[in-house]
Amino acid sequence: MEEAKRGYTISDIYQGGYSSLSPPENAGYITAGSIGIATDPRTANILQEVSSKLSSGVKYLEVEGASPEIFDSIPKQHLKEVYRLSKLTGIDVSMHAPVMDVSGIDPRGGGNFSESERQLSERKIAEALLRAHELNPEGNIPVNFHTANMGGSQLLPPSQRKEGEKYKQLIIINRENGRLAPLEPEREYHPGMAGEELEKGRYRTPEKRVKNLSETEWGNSINQLFFNQERAKEILDKTKPFLQHLENLKENETPSPAQAEIIRNFHTAQNYLQDINQHANALFSRAYKYGKDEQKNELKKLSEQFKKELEDSGKGINGIYGHAQAMQNLLTELKNPLYIPEMWVPLEDFATEKSAESFGNAAWQAYKKLKGKNIPILTIENPPAGYALSTGEDVRKVVEASREKFIENAVAGGLSQGKAREEAEKLIGATWDVGHINMLRKYGYSEKEIIKEAEQVAPLIKHVHLSDNFGFEHTELPMGMGNVPLKEIMEKLGQKGYDAKKIIEAGHWWQHFKTQPFQETLEAVGSPIYGMKMAPYWSWAPDLSQGYFGGYGQMLPQINYETFGAGFSRLPAELGGQNPSAQGSRMSGRQME
């Protein structure tokens, strides 16, 4: 056909009606009754937002308080009014709490860790839970928090990883001073290498480099003390033959110049030993504080041995020499790799521990405040890919560790172990944001690898966020308008994902297009139009109209139909129409002369 040669066919313009014998691929996999809408994140006027969103027919609404400033601008009376409105209309409400870094990485402190900042975040979490309770004081309202709000390590796609390698760039943190540092893979060249081995060098992953960094810093600290120890020992060895004689000096007797020199040298050696003792104590403290359990057990033995050597050394001048020897023995032992603490650790490991502490403590505070009744559910969400703790594995670890922290608090507070675990699993879970995880595409992740991430959190799911994008920018569009593989992700989430509330986050849609995103999402997910979970589906809506105007708006110009359609209302009055006459040519409506 001539049309086919030109690159189009009639079926491109008009596809015909729907058929239940050949339903679309996305037909019916999410029902409209499990989908809700988030309010516009740019405004604190939640009363107006909730009222306007109700007209779309949704069953669930999420109050957006992601911006801390906007969240604190919502009056408490409005939260109570939204609760009354929800009771009148029969909707359920959830809340998005402020986005903050709950681990205590302080952006105002140059990105370093601050325990006071972590404690502040903990108080903010508890306050958000209690404020959310006002939205639904008779139920367990989901309250959503991000795992983190800071830049994280850059992951390698699983298909590009070598054995023992996970990161393209690993952000590490010093556990003692909270300082951050980036590590990337590198090749090292050492003397002794030759030929092809020297040409290639030794490839070291960031994971191997972080371990070496702790060992190197520890070794350098010990070596500096050894240098001072050797200097002190050298001085003491030179002065020892004369010290006994100097002890016999009378109290008011003036020493000779040679004796005065010996005394000064002896005091210098003492100062060296005092300095060594202070730094050795600091090293031992660091090793014990940050060491693992087996390291702590060995350090206890070392401490008892050092104590015994000091007691055996006696007092006076001989005691000084005995103390110096005991200190040398201690330093020699501390240089053993057995005692080296992991001072530098991956940021994600550190942040998981600290975030879980904040979440677990805050959840327990809310539990106590509300006396264990109608407690808000703390749901922990994956932030946009590129932030710390943004993968499925990260979210799973934070949720599990937060539950354990809650259990620890609850048992100390009087709950049985079994009851504490039951409450933890009920009140702490995961939110999976399908748009955020799709942003792994910019790091080279394939669609299959992105879908697989959902497997990690599937057993913990309590809430789902729906937003579409193209995998690079943190945009929020209705589903079906980007490349998020939603159907496959939902299959990985399983029954818990299908049962969970699914909230449409469409901040950029509100900003640019200013229309409800509900129908577009229903079409994208193939929700059934009727309640029987069967055809027809919303994805067939364009076909149901059976006309040229279905699907993509008016495809032919309206003026064409008005002028040349069945009526003649747009013709000039001289030709029997209703178009007013005007000056100009005869065809423009000018009266004929």
Side-chain angles (χ1 to χ4, degrees), residues 196-235:
E196 186 177 347
E197 182 186 10
L198 182 60
E199 193 69 26
K200 289 184 177 180
R202 183 177 300 166
Y203 181 78
R204 302 192 68 81
T205 65
E207 291 87 341
K208 289 182 180 178
R209 291 188 64 199
V210 67
K211 183 178 180 181
N212 284 353
L213 185 60
S214 293
E215 293 175 351
T216 300
E217 287 194 355
W218 182 263
N220 289 341
S221 299
I222 295 289
N223 289 338
Q224 182 60 45
L225 294 184
F226 262 119
F227 176 81
N228 291 342
Q229 173 69 26
E230 289 296 324
R231 179 63 180 146
K233 186 176 183 300
E234 180 184 346
I235 295 174

Side-chain angles (χ1 to χ4, degrees), residues 55-67:
S55 62
S56 63
V58 294
K59 188 177 178 181
Y60 302 113
L61 280 170
E62 183 154 294
V63 173
E64 275 285 350
S67 165

Side-chain angles (χ1 to χ4, degrees), residues 102-219:
V102 301
S103 69
I105 304 296
D106 185 3
R108 296 168 299 178
N112 293 343
F113 170 75
S114 165
E115 175 59 21
S116 61
E117 191 72 16
R118 189 207 63 76
Q119 293 175 2
L120 174 60
S121 297
E122 183 179 306
R123 291 192 291 271
K124 288 181 178 180
I125 297 168
E127 177 64 19
L129 291 171
L130 294 175
R131 289 195 70 191
H133 182 68
E134 296 178 346
L135 281 171
N136 186 0
E138 298 179 359
N140 303 104
I141 175 174
V143 188
N144 190 73
F145 297 86
H146 284 195
T147 58
N149 188 40
M150 58 184 171
S153 304
Q154 186 175 333
L155 290 161
L156 281 168
S159 59
Q160 299 178 23
R161 296 174 189 174
K162 301 175 183 177
E163 185 177 353
E165 187 177 28
K166 183 178 180 181
Y167 298 99
K168 183 175 182 179
Q169 183 190 66
L170 176 63
I171 305 298
I172 58 175
I173 185 168
N174 187 292
R175 298 166 68 191
E176 187 173 38
N177 57 31
R179 184 163 57 90
L180 301 178
L183 287 181
E184 296 185 354
E186 70 172 9
R187 292 194 178 274
E188 297 178 349
Y189 305 88
H190 302 291
M193 293 180 175
E196 186 177 347
E197 182 186 10
L198 182 60
E199 193 69 26
K200 289 184 177 180
R202 183 177 300 166
Y203 181 78
R204 302 192 68 81
T205 65
E207 291 87 341
K208 289 182 180 178
R209 291 188 64 199
V210 67
K211 183 178 180 181
N212 284 353
L213 185 60
S214 293
E215 293 175 351
T216 300
E217 287 194 355
W218 182 263

Side-chain angles (χ1 to χ4, degrees), residues 146 384 433 435-436 439 467 469 472-476 505 508:
H146 284 195
D433 191 304
H436 289 173
M439 292 171 63
S467 64
N469 57 47
F472 290 90
E473 300 298 330
H474 182 207
T475 50
E476 294 179 338
E505 288 190 311
H508 295 88

Side-chain angles (χ1 to χ4, degrees), residues 120 127 152 154 195 257 270 461 466 519 568:
L120 174 60
E127 177 64 19
Q154 186 175 333
Q270 281 186 305
I461 282 294
L466 303 179
Q519 181 175 335
F568 301 95

Side-chain angles (χ1 to χ4, degrees), residues 26-36 59-60 466 490 498-500 502 518 521-522 525-534 537-538:
N26 66 342
Y29 71 94
I30 296 180
T31 59
S34 67
I35 300 177
K59 188 177 178 181
Y60 302 113
L466 303 179
M490 291 304 301
Y498 288 115
D499 293 340
K502 288 167 278 294
F518 193 43
T521 300
L522 293 182
V525 302
S527 296
I529 291 178
Y530 302 110
M532 294 82 73
K533 297 184 180 180
M534 56 182 290
Y537 303 100
W538 278 105

Side-chain angles (χ1 to χ4, degrees), residues 313-335:
S313 64
K315 297 181 180 180
I317 293 177
N318 290 330
I320 297 295
Y321 284 93
H323 184 276
Q325 185 60 49
M327 183 60 65
Q328 184 172 356
N329 295 341
L330 176 65
L331 294 177
T332 302
E333 287 291 334
L334 286 177
K335 197 168 184 180

